[in-house]
PDB file of all heavy atoms in Angstrom:
ATOM      1  N   ASN A   1     -31.255  17.036  -8.254  1.00  0.00           N
ATOM      2  CA  ASN A   1     -32.082  17.561  -9.338  1.00  0.00           C
ATOM      3  C   ASN A   1     -32.681  16.482 -10.282  1.00  0.00           C
ATOM      4  O   ASN A   1     -33.666  16.761 -10.902  1.00  0.00           O
ATOM      5  CB  ASN A   1     -31.178  18.437 -10.252  1.00  0.00           C
ATOM      6  CG  ASN A   1     -30.767  19.721  -9.556  1.00  0.00           C
ATOM      7  OD1 ASN A   1     -31.555  20.683  -9.536  1.00  0.00           O
ATOM      8  ND2 ASN A   1     -29.572  19.788  -9.058  1.00  0.00           N
ATOM      9  N   PHE A   2     -32.218  15.239 -10.218  1.00  0.00           N
ATOM     10  CA  PHE A   2     -32.782  14.233 -11.022  1.00  0.00           C
ATOM     11  C   PHE A   2     -33.565  13.217 -10.251  1.00  0.00           C
ATOM     12  O   PHE A   2     -33.276  12.923  -9.043  1.00  0.00           O
ATOM     13  CB  PHE A   2     -31.730  13.499 -11.900  1.00  0.00           C
ATOM     14  CG  PHE A   2     -31.169  14.290 -13.024  1.00  0.00           C
ATOM     15  CD1 PHE A   2     -30.189  15.307 -12.801  1.00  0.00           C
ATOM     16  CD2 PHE A   2     -31.559  14.104 -14.301  1.00  0.00           C
ATOM     17  CE1 PHE A   2     -29.784  16.123 -13.846  1.00  0.00           C
ATOM     18  CE2 PHE A   2     -31.086  14.872 -15.330  1.00  0.00           C
ATOM     19  CZ  PHE A   2     -30.148  15.841 -15.097  1.00  0.00           C
ATOM     20  N   GLY A   3     -34.606  12.731 -10.937  1.00  0.00           N
ATOM     21  CA  GLY A   3     -35.533  11.748 -10.177  1.00  0.00           C
ATOM     22  C   GLY A   3     -34.834  10.506  -9.734  1.00  0.00           C
ATOM     23  O   GLY A   3     -34.980   9.916  -8.577  1.00  0.00           O
ATOM     24  N   ILE A   4     -33.964   9.964 -10.572  1.00  0.00           N
ATOM     25  CA  ILE A   4     -33.242   8.626 -10.300  1.00  0.00           C
ATOM     26  C   ILE A   4     -31.766   8.764 -10.720  1.00  0.00           C
ATOM     27  O   ILE A   4     -31.539   9.286 -11.741  1.00  0.00           O
ATOM     28  CB  ILE A   4     -33.867   7.493 -11.055  1.00  0.00           C
ATOM     29  CG1 ILE A   4     -35.401   7.387 -10.798  1.00  0.00           C
ATOM     30  CG2 ILE A   4     -33.281   6.152 -10.648  1.00  0.00           C
ATOM     31  CD1 ILE A   4     -36.122   6.590 -11.898  1.00  0.00           C
ATOM     32  N   VAL A   5     -30.882   8.344  -9.816  1.00  0.00           N
ATOM     33  CA  VAL A   5     -29.419   8.483 -10.052  1.00  0.00           C
ATOM     34  C   VAL A   5     -28.782   6.980  -9.828  1.00  0.00           C
ATOM     35  O   VAL A   5     -29.110   6.518  -8.794  1.00  0.00           O
ATOM     36  CB  VAL A   5     -28.698   9.545  -9.211  1.00  0.00           C
ATOM     37  CG1 VAL A   5     -27.238   9.574  -9.486  1.00  0.00           C
ATOM     38  CG2 VAL A   5     -29.415  10.879  -9.406  1.00  0.00           C
ATOM     39  N   ARG A   6     -28.035   6.704 -10.796  1.00  0.00           N
ATOM     40  CA  ARG A   6     -27.400   5.326 -10.717  1.00  0.00           C
ATOM     41  C   ARG A   6     -25.960   5.370 -11.194  1.00  0.00           C
ATOM     42  O   ARG A   6     -25.559   6.291 -11.841  1.00  0.00           O
ATOM     43  CB  ARG A   6     -28.194   4.263 -11.616  1.00  0.00           C
ATOM     44  CG  ARG A   6     -29.569   3.949 -11.048  1.00  0.00           C
ATOM     45  CD  ARG A   6     -29.565   3.204  -9.747  1.00  0.00           C
ATOM     46  NE  ARG A   6     -30.913   2.807  -9.303  1.00  0.00           N
ATOM     47  CZ  ARG A   6     -31.682   3.559  -8.568  1.00  0.00           C
ATOM     48  NH1 ARG A   6     -31.319   4.678  -8.117  1.00  0.00           N
ATOM     49  NH2 ARG A   6     -32.913   3.058  -8.280  1.00  0.00           N
ATOM     50  N   ASN A   7     -25.156   4.439 -10.749  1.00  0.00           N
ATOM     51  CA  ASN A   7     -23.844   4.033 -11.322  1.00  0.00           C
ATOM     52  C   ASN A   7     -23.919   2.565 -11.634  1.00  0.00           C
ATOM     53  O   ASN A   7     -23.998   1.764 -10.773  1.00  0.00           O
ATOM     54  CB  ASN A   7     -22.783   4.329 -10.295  1.00  0.00           C
ATOM     55  CG  ASN A   7     -21.363   3.810 -10.707  1.00  0.00           C
ATOM     56  OD1 ASN A   7     -20.954   2.867 -10.294  1.00  0.00           O
ATOM     57  ND2 ASN A   7     -20.776   4.411 -11.639  1.00  0.00           N
ATOM     58  N   TYR A   8     -23.830   2.264 -12.928  1.00  0.00           N
ATOM     59  CA  TYR A   8     -24.150   0.904 -13.372  1.00  0.00           C
ATOM     60  C   TYR A   8     -22.878   0.094 -13.626  1.00  0.00           C
ATOM     61  O   TYR A   8     -22.825  -1.081 -13.436  1.00  0.00           O
ATOM     62  CB  TYR A   8     -24.980   0.926 -14.629  1.00  0.00           C
ATOM     63  CG  TYR A   8     -25.466  -0.430 -15.182  1.00  0.00           C
ATOM     64  CD1 TYR A   8     -25.934  -1.339 -14.342  1.00  0.00           C
ATOM     65  CD2 TYR A   8     -25.406  -0.673 -16.586  1.00  0.00           C
ATOM     66  CE1 TYR A   8     -26.283  -2.651 -14.791  1.00  0.00           C
ATOM     67  CE2 TYR A   8     -25.735  -1.880 -17.099  1.00  0.00           C
ATOM     68  CZ  TYR A   8     -26.180  -2.877 -16.111  1.00  0.00           C
ATOM     69  OH  TYR A   8     -26.526  -4.055 -16.687  1.00  0.00           O
ATOM     70  N   GLY A   9     -21.800   0.721 -14.240  1.00  0.00           N
ATOM     71  CA  GLY A   9     -20.649  -0.031 -14.392  1.00  0.00           C
ATOM     72  C   GLY A   9     -20.115  -0.043 -15.814  1.00  0.00           C
ATOM     73  O   GLY A   9     -19.030   0.638 -16.124  1.00  0.00           O
ATOM     74  N   PRO A  10     -20.679  -0.690 -16.786  1.00  0.00           N
ATOM     75  CA  PRO A  10     -20.042  -0.775 -18.200  1.00  0.00           C
ATOM     76  C   PRO A  10     -20.407   0.620 -18.904  1.00  0.00           C
ATOM     77  O   PRO A  10     -21.454   0.870 -19.294  1.00  0.00           O
ATOM     78  CB  PRO A  10     -20.777  -1.969 -18.825  1.00  0.00           C
ATOM     79  CG  PRO A  10     -22.097  -2.023 -18.090  1.00  0.00           C
ATOM     80  CD  PRO A  10     -21.795  -1.651 -16.653  1.00  0.00           C
ATOM     81  N   HIS A  11     -19.294   1.248 -19.088  1.00  0.00           N
ATOM     82  CA  HIS A  11     -19.418   2.656 -19.654  1.00  0.00           C
ATOM     83  C   HIS A  11     -20.155   2.632 -21.041  1.00  0.00           C
ATOM     84  O   HIS A  11     -21.081   3.458 -21.312  1.00  0.00           O
ATOM     85  CB  HIS A  11     -18.099   3.361 -19.814  1.00  0.00           C
ATOM     86  CG  HIS A  11     -17.350   3.495 -18.509  1.00  0.00           C
ATOM     87  ND1 HIS A  11     -16.968   2.492 -17.744  1.00  0.00           N
ATOM     88  CD2 HIS A  11     -16.852   4.647 -17.860  1.00  0.00           C
ATOM     89  CE1 HIS A  11     -16.232   2.904 -16.683  1.00  0.00           C
ATOM     90  NE2 HIS A  11     -16.242   4.191 -16.759  1.00  0.00           N
ATOM     91  N   GLY A  12     -19.637   1.871 -21.904  1.00  0.00           N
ATOM     92  CA  GLY A  12     -20.111   1.789 -23.259  1.00  0.00           C
ATOM     93  C   GLY A  12     -21.635   1.481 -23.263  1.00  0.00           C
ATOM     94  O   GLY A  12     -22.383   2.027 -24.029  1.00  0.00           O
ATOM     95  N   LEU A  13     -22.053   0.504 -22.578  1.00  0.00           N
ATOM     96  CA  LEU A  13     -23.457  -0.004 -22.486  1.00  0.00           C
ATOM     97  C   LEU A  13     -24.295   1.141 -21.992  1.00  0.00           C
ATOM     98  O   LEU A  13     -25.462   1.403 -22.554  1.00  0.00           O
ATOM     99  CB  LEU A  13     -23.496  -1.243 -21.657  1.00  0.00           C
ATOM    100  CG  LEU A  13     -24.964  -1.854 -21.642  1.00  0.00           C
ATOM    101  CD1 LEU A  13     -25.370  -2.300 -23.097  1.00  0.00           C
ATOM    102  CD2 LEU A  13     -24.984  -3.076 -20.759  1.00  0.00           C
ATOM    103  N   GLN A  14     -23.866   1.840 -21.029  1.00  0.00           N
ATOM    104  CA  GLN A  14     -24.581   2.942 -20.547  1.00  0.00           C
ATOM    105  C   GLN A  14     -24.905   4.078 -21.619  1.00  0.00           C
ATOM    106  O   GLN A  14     -25.974   4.631 -21.738  1.00  0.00           O
ATOM    107  CB  GLN A  14     -23.935   3.632 -19.316  1.00  0.00           C
ATOM    108  CG  GLN A  14     -23.976   2.690 -18.052  1.00  0.00           C
ATOM    109  CD  GLN A  14     -23.188   3.336 -16.973  1.00  0.00           C
ATOM    110  OE1 GLN A  14     -23.848   4.015 -16.010  1.00  0.00           O
ATOM    111  NE2 GLN A  14     -21.978   3.187 -16.883  1.00  0.00           N
ATOM    112  N   LEU A  15     -23.768   4.324 -22.362  1.00  0.00           N
ATOM    113  CA  LEU A  15     -23.982   5.244 -23.409  1.00  0.00           C
ATOM    114  C   LEU A  15     -24.896   4.713 -24.538  1.00  0.00           C
ATOM    115  O   LEU A  15     -25.697   5.492 -25.108  1.00  0.00           O
ATOM    116  CB  LEU A  15     -22.578   5.631 -24.032  1.00  0.00           C
ATOM    117  CG  LEU A  15     -21.707   6.447 -23.090  1.00  0.00           C
ATOM    118  CD1 LEU A  15     -20.287   6.465 -23.562  1.00  0.00           C
ATOM    119  CD2 LEU A  15     -22.181   7.886 -23.017  1.00  0.00           C
ATOM    120  N   ALA A  16     -24.815   3.493 -24.815  1.00  0.00           N
ATOM    121  CA  ALA A  16     -25.805   2.853 -25.733  1.00  0.00           C
ATOM    122  C   ALA A  16     -27.170   3.035 -25.218  1.00  0.00           C
ATOM    123  O   ALA A  16     -28.121   3.132 -25.996  1.00  0.00           O
ATOM    124  CB  ALA A  16     -25.409   1.432 -25.998  1.00  0.00           C
ATOM    125  N   TYR A  17     -27.386   2.789 -23.957  1.00  0.00           N
ATOM    126  CA  TYR A  17     -28.635   3.034 -23.288  1.00  0.00           C
ATOM    127  C   TYR A  17     -29.269   4.358 -23.475  1.00  0.00           C
ATOM    128  O   TYR A  17     -30.490   4.552 -23.536  1.00  0.00           O
ATOM    129  CB  TYR A  17     -28.615   2.652 -21.885  1.00  0.00           C
ATOM    130  CG  TYR A  17     -28.644   0.978 -21.568  1.00  0.00           C
ATOM    131  CD1 TYR A  17     -28.585   0.588 -20.315  1.00  0.00           C
ATOM    132  CD2 TYR A  17     -28.772   0.163 -22.633  1.00  0.00           C
ATOM    133  CE1 TYR A  17     -28.614  -0.761 -19.968  1.00  0.00           C
ATOM    134  CE2 TYR A  17     -28.818  -1.210 -22.398  1.00  0.00           C
ATOM    135  CZ  TYR A  17     -28.701  -1.621 -21.042  1.00  0.00           C
ATOM    136  OH  TYR A  17     -28.716  -2.961 -20.755  1.00  0.00           O
ATOM    137  N   VAL A  18     -28.340   5.391 -23.393  1.00  0.00           N
ATOM    138  CA  VAL A  18     -28.759   6.783 -23.686  1.00  0.00           C
ATOM    139  C   VAL A  18     -29.403   6.788 -25.069  1.00  0.00           C
ATOM    140  O   VAL A  18     -30.482   7.293 -25.388  1.00  0.00           O
ATOM    141  CB  VAL A  18     -27.580   7.796 -23.521  1.00  0.00           C
ATOM    142  CG1 VAL A  18     -28.038   9.219 -24.069  1.00  0.00           C
ATOM    143  CG2 VAL A  18     -27.165   7.876 -22.124  1.00  0.00           C
ATOM    144  N   GLY A  19     -28.662   6.208 -26.030  1.00  0.00           N
ATOM    145  CA  GLY A  19     -29.107   6.112 -27.424  1.00  0.00           C
ATOM    146  C   GLY A  19     -30.499   5.380 -27.546  1.00  0.00           C
ATOM    147  O   GLY A  19     -31.286   5.765 -28.378  1.00  0.00           O
ATOM    148  N   ALA A  20     -30.705   4.428 -26.663  1.00  0.00           N
ATOM    149  CA  ALA A  20     -31.933   3.610 -26.700  1.00  0.00           C
ATOM    150  C   ALA A  20     -33.078   4.276 -25.817  1.00  0.00           C
ATOM    151  O   ALA A  20     -34.172   3.728 -25.863  1.00  0.00           O
ATOM    152  CB  ALA A  20     -31.656   2.144 -26.143  1.00  0.00           C
ATOM    153  N   GLY A  21     -32.811   5.387 -25.288  1.00  0.00           N
ATOM    154  CA  GLY A  21     -33.836   6.090 -24.421  1.00  0.00           C
ATOM    155  C   GLY A  21     -34.038   5.440 -23.077  1.00  0.00           C
ATOM    156  O   GLY A  21     -34.953   5.784 -22.308  1.00  0.00           O
ATOM    157  N   ARG A  22     -33.104   4.491 -22.718  1.00  0.00           N
ATOM    158  CA  ARG A  22     -33.271   3.794 -21.420  1.00  0.00           C
ATOM    159  C   ARG A  22     -32.618   4.684 -20.214  1.00  0.00           C
ATOM    160  O   ARG A  22     -33.046   4.643 -19.109  1.00  0.00           O
ATOM    161  CB  ARG A  22     -32.644   2.438 -21.390  1.00  0.00           C
ATOM    162  CG  ARG A  22     -33.313   1.572 -22.456  1.00  0.00           C
ATOM    163  CD  ARG A  22     -32.478   0.196 -22.502  1.00  0.00           C
ATOM    164  NE  ARG A  22     -33.057  -0.631 -23.492  1.00  0.00           N
ATOM    165  CZ  ARG A  22     -32.579  -1.866 -23.783  1.00  0.00           C
ATOM    166  NH1 ARG A  22     -31.517  -2.333 -23.220  1.00  0.00           N
ATOM    167  NH2 ARG A  22     -33.153  -2.571 -24.772  1.00  0.00           N
ATOM    168  N   ILE A  23     -31.604   5.441 -20.555  1.00  0.00           N
ATOM    169  CA  ILE A  23     -30.935   6.263 -19.639  1.00  0.00           C
ATOM    170  C   ILE A  23     -31.072   7.738 -20.267  1.00  0.00           C
ATOM    171  O   ILE A  23     -30.976   7.876 -21.462  1.00  0.00           O
ATOM    172  CB  ILE A  23     -29.434   5.880 -19.544  1.00  0.00           C
ATOM    173  CG1 ILE A  23     -29.383   4.609 -18.592  1.00  0.00           C
ATOM    174  CG2 ILE A  23     -28.646   7.044 -18.811  1.00  0.00           C
ATOM    175  CD1 ILE A  23     -27.891   4.072 -18.551  1.00  0.00           C
ATOM    176  N   ASP A  24     -31.355   8.752 -19.443  1.00  0.00           N
ATOM    177  CA  ASP A  24     -31.652  10.012 -19.986  1.00  0.00           C
ATOM    178  C   ASP A  24     -30.365  10.878 -19.991  1.00  0.00           C
ATOM    179  O   ASP A  24     -30.337  11.824 -20.785  1.00  0.00           O
ATOM    180  CB  ASP A  24     -32.676  10.703 -19.019  1.00  0.00           C
ATOM    181  CG  ASP A  24     -34.010   9.926 -19.066  1.00  0.00           C
ATOM    182  OD1 ASP A  24     -34.686   9.934 -20.143  1.00  0.00           O
ATOM    183  OD2 ASP A  24     -34.380   9.229 -18.054  1.00  0.00           O
ATOM    184  N   LEU A  25     -29.411  10.633 -19.077  1.00  0.00           N
ATOM    185  CA  LEU A  25     -28.170  11.452 -19.041  1.00  0.00           C
ATOM    186  C   LEU A  25     -26.967  10.678 -18.603  1.00  0.00           C
ATOM    187  O   LEU A  25     -27.232   9.923 -17.540  1.00  0.00           O
ATOM    188  CB  LEU A  25     -28.383  12.676 -18.213  1.00  0.00           C
ATOM    189  CG  LEU A  25     -27.212  13.661 -18.026  1.00  0.00           C
ATOM    190  CD1 LEU A  25     -27.696  15.127 -18.176  1.00  0.00           C
ATOM    191  CD2 LEU A  25     -26.480  13.508 -16.654  1.00  0.00           C
ATOM    192  N   PHE A  26     -25.950  10.785 -19.139  1.00  0.00           N
ATOM    193  CA  PHE A  26     -24.688  10.190 -18.712  1.00  0.00           C
ATOM    194  C   PHE A  26     -23.690  11.306 -18.465  1.00  0.00           C
ATOM    195  O   PHE A  26     -23.490  12.170 -19.234  1.00  0.00           O
ATOM    196  CB  PHE A  26     -24.113   9.224 -19.787  1.00  0.00           C
ATOM    197  CG  PHE A  26     -22.715   8.626 -19.463  1.00  0.00           C
ATOM    198  CD1 PHE A  26     -22.686   7.309 -19.028  1.00  0.00           C
ATOM    199  CD2 PHE A  26     -21.562   9.393 -19.663  1.00  0.00           C
ATOM    200  CE1 PHE A  26     -21.381   6.794 -18.797  1.00  0.00           C
ATOM    201  CE2 PHE A  26     -20.316   8.788 -19.434  1.00  0.00           C
ATOM    202  CZ  PHE A  26     -20.255   7.470 -18.928  1.00  0.00           C
ATOM    203  N   VAL A  27     -22.892  11.234 -17.284  1.00  0.00           N
ATOM    204  CA  VAL A  27     -21.859  12.236 -17.000  1.00  0.00           C
ATOM    205  C   VAL A  27     -20.647  11.564 -16.309  1.00  0.00           C
ATOM    206  O   VAL A  27     -20.924  10.630 -15.537  1.00  0.00           O
ATOM    207  CB  VAL A  27     -22.490  13.441 -16.136  1.00  0.00           C
ATOM    208  CG1 VAL A  27     -22.913  12.871 -14.763  1.00  0.00           C
ATOM    209  CG2 VAL A  27     -21.475  14.519 -15.996  1.00  0.00           C
TER     210      VAL A  27
END
């Protein structure tokens, strides 16, 4: 369903990236 799917590693940074608009969804 999503255009791009990744697993990046550092959980906190990924959530910060959601806040920064760099990542659209974290699950």
Side-chain angles (χ1 to χ4, degrees):
N1 291 281
F2 285 79
I4 308 163
V5 179
R6 294 288 185 271
N7 169 258
Y8 181 47
H11 300 62
L13 186 60
Q14 291 177 94
L15 290 166
Y17 280 179
V18 174
R22 300 175 182 178
I23 288 174
D24 298 289
L25 178 139
F26 175 101
V27 62

